[in-house]
Amino acid sequence: MTILMEAEGLTKHFPGRRGLIDMARRAPRPVVQALTEINLDIRAGETLGIVGESGCGKSTLARCLVGLHAPDRGTVRFAGADLAGMTGTERLGFHRQVQMIFQDPYGSLNPLMSVGDTLAEALAVHNIVPKAAIAARVGELLAMVRLPPDAAGRRPHEFSGGQRQRIGIARALAVEPKIIVADEPVSALDVSVQAQIVNLLLELRARLGLTLVFITHDLRLVRHMTQRVAVMYLGRVVELGPTADLFATPRHPYTRALLRAVPQLTPGLRGRDAAVRGELPSPLAPPPGCAFHPRCGIAEAGCSASVPALEVRSGAWPVACLLAGS
Ligand SMILES: Nc1ncnc2c1ncn2[C@@H]1O[C@H](COP(=O)(O)OP(=O)(O)O)[C@@H](O)[C@H]1O
Ligand code: SF4
Ligand SMILES: [Mg+2]
C-alpha cells in the first residue's frame, strides 16, 4: 500500500463577517474555523470518501489538498514532497497530477470558450501532446466521457448539467492526473443523471488506475463508491475507516447518528446513544472539547474538557471519541 498524498495537521480559518453593530462596538472579527488539525492519508488506487454535513469543511479540505487554498498550518505532501516547499516547476507538475472536479461545472468552465478550446488549453498548459495532436486528443477525451465529437465546437451553456459535468471530468482527465478530488460532483444534478456520472467516474477510475477522493454529503454514494471513508464534523475528521466495516459498526456517536438517518443502509444498527439532538453549531464558535458534545446522547462531563484525538482506540480504525474505547 503506497501513500500517494498526506495531509498533516491541516488547519484553515477564514475571517468571518461582522455586522454593523459588531463593527460599531469594535468587536474583534470572528473567525470561521473551517478546518482544524486534519490528518489524512490517501492511498494509491483507492477511492476515499469524505462525508459530512454542509459547512463541515469538505470543500475547504478539497481546496487545500489540490493547492487552491494555502492552509494556515499543517502540510500537504504529494509523493513525499511538501506542497508548500515546491518550486514553480514542481508545482506545475503537482497541478498536473492532482486535479479537481467541482460541484458546479458551469461556474468552473469559461462560458466564452468552446469545450474544445477549454480542453486544448489544459493540454497546452501542461504540454501533454504536440500541437498537431491536440485536436485528436480532444476528440479522445470527449469520447472517454461519452460526449459527441461535435461537442468540441459548442460552449458550456449549450449543455445540460450532466453533460457539463462530463466536460468537467474531461478537463480533469486531459492532463492525465494520478488523483482526482471530486467535490460533490453530482449534488447539483437530477437524481436520474447522478447515477450516470457516478458510474462514469467509477469506470474511468478503474480504466485509468486513478486515485479518487470523493466528497459528498450522500451516504448512499459513499457506500456505493468508496473503499474508505472519513467522516467530518465541524472541521475535524471524527472517524476514518474501511467503508463496509464502518457502515456495519460505526463507532463515533456522530457517525452512528448520520447512518441511523438512512435506515435502509444500516438495518441492524442499534446502540445506547440516542439520535442526535439540536442544531449543528456554527464553525464561528465550535463547542469546547469534543465539538459534538452538546448533541451527543452519551456525552459525559469530560467530553467538554478535552478534544479527543483521532486514534485507534478499541476498534480497528481511528475514531475521535473519548468513550469509543469503552
Ligand atoms: N472563502 C471563504 N471565506 C470565508 N468563509 C469560508 C470560505 N470558504 C468556506 N468558508 C466557511 O468555512 C466553513 C466550511 O465551508 P466548506 O468547506 O465550504 O464546507 P462544506 O464543503 O462541507 O459545505 C463554512 O462555515 C463556510 O461558510
Ligand atoms: S467524546 Fe464524548 S461527546 Fe464526543 S462523541 Fe464521544 S462521547 Fe460524545
Ligand atoms: Mg462543499
Side-chain angles (χ1 to χ4, degrees):
M1 173 196 74
T2 319
I3 292 175
L4 198 51
M5 197 174 210
E6 270 173 297
E8 197 181 314
L10 274 193
T11 299
K12 179 78 183 170
H13 294 172
F14 296 107
R17 289 227 182 95
R18 245 185 336 181
L20 277 177
I21 295 173
D22 287 338
M23 277 192 224
R25 280 194 197 133
R26 296 176 183 259
R29 211 181 228 291
V31 174
V32 183
Q33 303 185 23
L35 281 188
T36 308
E37 292 285 330
I38 300 277
N39 296 321
L40 198 63
D41 55 355
I42 300 167
R43 302 170 182 172
E46 77 171 339
T47 299
L48 172 70
I50 296 178
V51 72
E53 288 165 278
S54 178
C56 72
K58 302 181 298 297
S59 295
T60 306
L61 174 58
R63 289 175 164 271
C64 286
L65 289 176
V66 304
L68 287 175
H69 276 329
D72 299 339
R73 285 199 306 278
T75 50
V76 172
R77 277 189 292 275
F78 178 73
D82 183 349
L83 176 57
M86 286 181 187
T87 63
T89 321
E90 288 167 343
R91 227 182 144 84
L92 195 62
F94 170 85
H95 287 303
R96 176 176 171 180
Q97 301 190 76
V98 182
Q99 283 285 306
M100 182 152 165
I101 298 173
F102 298 87
Q103 176 173 351
D104 170 18
Y106 199 57
S108 66
L109 293 168
N110 184 337
L112 300 177
M113 266 166 86
S114 72
V115 170
D117 287 348
T118 294
L119 297 178
E121 185 186 63
L123 293 168
V125 167
H126 291 275
N127 263 321
I128 307 289
V129 290
K131 251 203 170 108
I134 284 184
R137 179 69 180 145
V138 166
E140 275 172 27
L141 287 164
L142 292 173
M144 257 191 205
V145 298
R146 304 221 186 80
L147 284 171
D150 68 358
R154 293 190 266 149
R155 297 211 194 136
H157 73 266
E158 298 176 55
F159 295 88
S160 68
Q163 288 172 323
R164 283 203 289 260
Q165 197 52 290
R166 289 175 194 269
I167 300 166
I169 295 170
R171 186 184 51 185
L173 292 177
V175 298
E176 298 166 11
K178 286 210 167 73
I179 297 192
I180 289 189
V181 178
D183 186 9
E184 308 236 26
V186 300
S187 302
L189 304 178
D190 290 343
V191 174
S192 58
V193 183
Q194 289 188 352
Q196 296 168 17
I197 299 295
V198 159
N199 289 335
L200 176 68
L201 272 175
L202 284 179
E203 176 203 317
L204 290 168
R205 185 198 77 86
R207 191 160 113 207
L208 304 172
L210 292 168
T211 302
L212 185 61
V213 179
F214 189 84
I215 298 175
T216 181
H217 61 270
D218 187 334
L219 290 160
R220 288 162 313 158
L221 288 179
V222 174
R223 180 72 193 258
H224 177 58
M225 294 195 65
T226 68
Q227 282 113 40
R228 286 197 310 148
V229 58
V231 180
M232 288 184 70
Y233 186 75
L234 280 180
R236 293 178 188 266
V237 174
V238 295
E239 184 159 7
L240 171 63
T243 305
D245 299 339
L246 188 143
F247 272 65
T249 54
R251 300 188 64 81
H252 195 284
Y254 176 64
T255 314
R256 301 177 67 87
L258 265 188
L259 290 178
R260 218 181 260 124
V262 200
Q264 63 273 34
L265 277 182
T266 52
L269 190 60
R270 283 190 198 92
R272 61 201 169 101
D273 45 336
V276 65
R277 320 179 278 225
E279 299 274 302
L280 183 69
S282 160
L284 284 169
C290 170
F292 189 58
H293 83 259
R295 305 175 79 192
C296 180
I298 59 167
E300 294 181 352
C303 293
S304 54
S306 62
V307 180
L310 180 69
E311 61 191 23
V312 177
R313 291 163 194 266
S314 71
W317 59 83
V319 53
C321 169
L322 296 172
L323 303 186
S326 56

